[in-house]
Amino acid sequence: MPDNFGSYILPVMVVGIVLFGLVKKVKVFDCFMSGARKGLHTVYELLPSITGLVVAVTMLKESGAMEIVSALFAPVTSLFGVPDEITPMALLSPISGGGSLTLFESVLKTHGPDSFIGQVASVVMGSTDTTLYAVTVYYSAIGIKNTRHTLMAGLTADFLSLVLSAFFVRLTV
Amino acid sequence: MMNYVFPVLLLLSFISAVATGRIDALSSAVIDGAESAVQLLLRLVSMLCLWGGVMEIAEQSGMTKVFSRLMSPIVGMIFPRLRKEKYALEAISMNITANILGLGNAATPLGLEAMRRLQDINENKTVASNEMVVFVVMNTAAMHIIPTTVATMRGQYGSAKPMEIMPAAFLTSFCALAAAIAVAKIGNRVKSSQDCKQRSA
């Protein structure tokens, strides 16, 4: 396997799909354009909800609220052997992808990627996604108002990732 | 949901900013936030158009059917009620494939297409269906096999073994994903048994 194996995935997929279309005698560029036009329509649906979400999340990040929430959460997470240093990052990750990446960088810088703290932080970052963003975008694109228990289930998974990360790092590294 | 989340986030921000003396930062965050929303959306425009176009080719050529068939053992197990809804299953399979390969940029547009098809067969157009809940929850968890972003950043900060965390990351994501689906499905069952009681009452 070549070193830059990861870089092959995307081009192979795009070129592969277009070639397959050619073989099947599809008018590939006409198809591409009509699909791309649909994408443009989706953006129009998403603008209002994304603006609201990002404004709220940016305000939350700048307000210092996450420090307060982290301090409240630290006793709980340390029960499971999660280092206090990564709690702010882990709590931000379901809300803001960019914000938690910044905190992840500072953890790597201060503690080093191969320290226990650095490893647990890496596992948390590698095993979670921006839950609130996904829920908002997926539902607002099709006009669903009542999302039922989606957010609760998503956040449960995020919390489990945090708790399990320390456990699995001790087990496997 | 956002009718509750939005005000809670705003109130929490305001109170903490006043308490910690960061009202100046909060004030600029209001405008900055709206600006970065548009930046985020611009990035999304390109991805939605690119993958919308590529997906259309895959669809017309019958390639999505191939993916759907390959993924059907897993997808069919998670979404048993969709076995006959081939159209929705195809988009769901494409989204899961993109997620597993770590193509986050492609996963969102494909996922939105899947949501649209789930909405077509949804009875109440403003309430999430059981399948939607499970599908969105899957997309809030990490499904990729290789955490490329994290590995790259570890390398940049001088890790001797950037990939050393892979087994732990894989186990953690797998358990979290399984738990997410389980919670979503338990919630679905609780809700539908409540509906039955209401109907019979």
Side-chain angles (χ1 to χ4, degrees), chain B residues 130-153:
Chain B
N130 286 351
E131 283 71 27
M132 286 178 187
V133 174
V134 175
F135 181 66
V136 174
V137 161
M138 288 176 75
N139 274 283
T140 70
M143 279 187 256
H144 50 218
I145 293 177
I146 305 168
T148 30
T149 317
V150 169
T152 314
M153 284 174 72

Side-chain angles (χ1 to χ4, degrees), chain A residues 20 31-32 36 38 42 47 50 52 54 60 63 65 105 113-114 119 122 126 129 138 142 145-149 161, chain B residues 1 6 13 16 20 33 41 53 56 60-61 116 119 126 128 130 139-140 144 153-154 157 159-160 164 176 184 188:
Chain A
F20 191 83
C31 254
F32 182 87
K38 277 190 222 157
T42 312
L47 179 63
I50 287 196
V54 177
L60 192 75
S63 69
E105 274 194 299
D114 294 327
Q119 282 167 338
S122 308
D129 215 320
Y138 275 58
I142 54 168
K145 306 269 181 268
N146 182 355
T147 62
R148 297 167 60 202
H149 50 290
S161 295
Chain B
M1 173 203 81
F6 188 61
S13 314
S16 343
T20 57
L41 218 77
E56 188 77 22
Q60 295 292 327
S61 62
R116 223 167 283 136
Q119 180 74 320
T126 58
N130 286 351
N139 274 283
T140 70
H144 50 218
M153 284 174 72
R154 287 172 59 79
Y157 283 90
S159 169
E164 194 178 39
N188 284 344

Side-chain angles (χ1 to χ4, degrees), chain B residues 81-126:
Chain B
R81 284 207 310 188
L82 291 182
R83 277 187 208 281
K84 284 185 184 133
E85 305 289 345
K86 296 268 180 276
Y87 195 52
L89 275 185
E90 281 173 23
I92 291 176
S93 305
M94 292 301 286
N95 165 272
I96 294 178
T97 311
N99 269 311
I100 290 175
L101 293 175
L103 302 173
N105 284 332
T108 308
L110 298 173
L112 293 179
E113 183 59 34
M115 288 300 278
R116 223 167 283 136
R117 295 177 188 184
L118 286 174
Q119 180 74 320
D120 287 342
I121 51 172
N122 188 12
E123 284 165 23
N124 188 337
K125 301 293 179 199
T126 58

Side-chain angles (χ1 to χ4, degrees), chain A residues 5-6 9-10 13-14 16-18 20-22 24 26-40 42-44 46-69 95 101-102 104-106 108-109 112-115 118-139 141-158 160-162 164-166 168-169 171-173, chain B residues 1-3 5-6 9-10 12-14 16-20 22 25-26 29-30 32-34 36-38 40-41 44-45 48-58 60-63 66-67 87 94-95 97-99 101 103 107-113 115-116 119 122 124-130 132-133 135-137 139-142 144 146-150 153-154 156-162 164-165 167-169 171-173 175-177 179-180 183-188 191-192:
Chain A
F5 174 73
I9 299 177
L10 190 59
M13 196 152 166
V14 175
I17 288 175
V18 173
F20 191 83
L22 271 183
K24 293 279 172 174
V26 172
K27 289 193 173 121
V28 283
F29 200 70
D30 288 350
C31 254
F32 182 87
M33 287 202 305
S34 83
R37 206 166 290 131
K38 277 190 222 157
L40 214 55
T42 312
V43 177
Y44 177 76
L46 288 178
L47 179 63
S49 60
I50 287 196
T51 308
L53 178 72
V54 177
V55 167
V57 168
T58 314
M59 285 172 69
L60 192 75
K61 268 193 310 198
E62 296 299 325
S63 69
M66 292 318 286
E67 282 91 350
I68 299 172
V69 177
I95 306 172
L101 267 185
T102 315
F104 177 51
E105 274 194 299
S106 78
L108 290 181
K109 215 178 288 172
D114 294 327
S115 65
Q119 282 167 338
V120 177
S122 308
V123 172
V124 173
M125 286 305 290
S127 60
T128 54
D129 215 320
T130 321
T131 300
L132 187 60
Y133 171 78
V135 175
T136 310
V137 168
Y138 275 58
Y139 282 126
I142 54 168
I144 295 278
K145 306 269 181 268
N146 182 355
T147 62
R148 297 167 60 202
H149 50 290
T150 313
L151 189 62
M152 203 229 0
L155 293 178
T156 309
D158 291 333
L160 200 71
S161 295
L162 176 60
L164 287 177
S165 58
F168 280 127
V169 166
L171 199 71
T172 60
V173 179
Chain B
M1 173 203 81
M2 280 311 276
N3 286 327
V5 175
F6 188 61
L9 290 183
L10 290 192
L12 196 65
S13 314
F14 184 73
S16 343
V18 172
T20 57
R22 297 196 197 184
L26 189 75
V30 179
D32 291 348
S36 44
V38 174
L40 179 71
L41 218 77
L44 213 58
V45 179
L48 282 166
C49 289
L50 169 65
W51 288 103
V54 173
M55 175 77 175
E56 188 77 22
I57 300 174
Q60 295 292 327
S61 62
M63 195 174 198
V66 178
F67 273 99
Y87 195 52
M94 292 301 286
N95 165 272
T97 311
N99 269 311
L101 293 175
L103 302 173
T108 308
L110 298 173
L112 293 179
E113 183 59 34
M115 288 300 278
R116 223 167 283 136
Q119 180 74 320
N122 188 12
N124 188 337
K125 301 293 179 199
T126 58
V127 181
S129 67
N130 286 351
M132 286 178 187
V133 174
F135 181 66
V136 174
V137 161
N139 274 283
T140 70
H144 50 218
I146 305 168
T148 30
T149 317
V150 169
M153 284 174 72
R154 287 172 59 79
Q156 278 164 5
Y157 283 90
S159 169
K161 292 174 184 161
E164 194 178 39
I165 50 106
L171 288 169
T172 309
S173 340
C175 292
L177 180 64
V183 174
K185 292 212 164 210
I186 292 167
N188 284 344
K191 188 70 179 58
S192 52

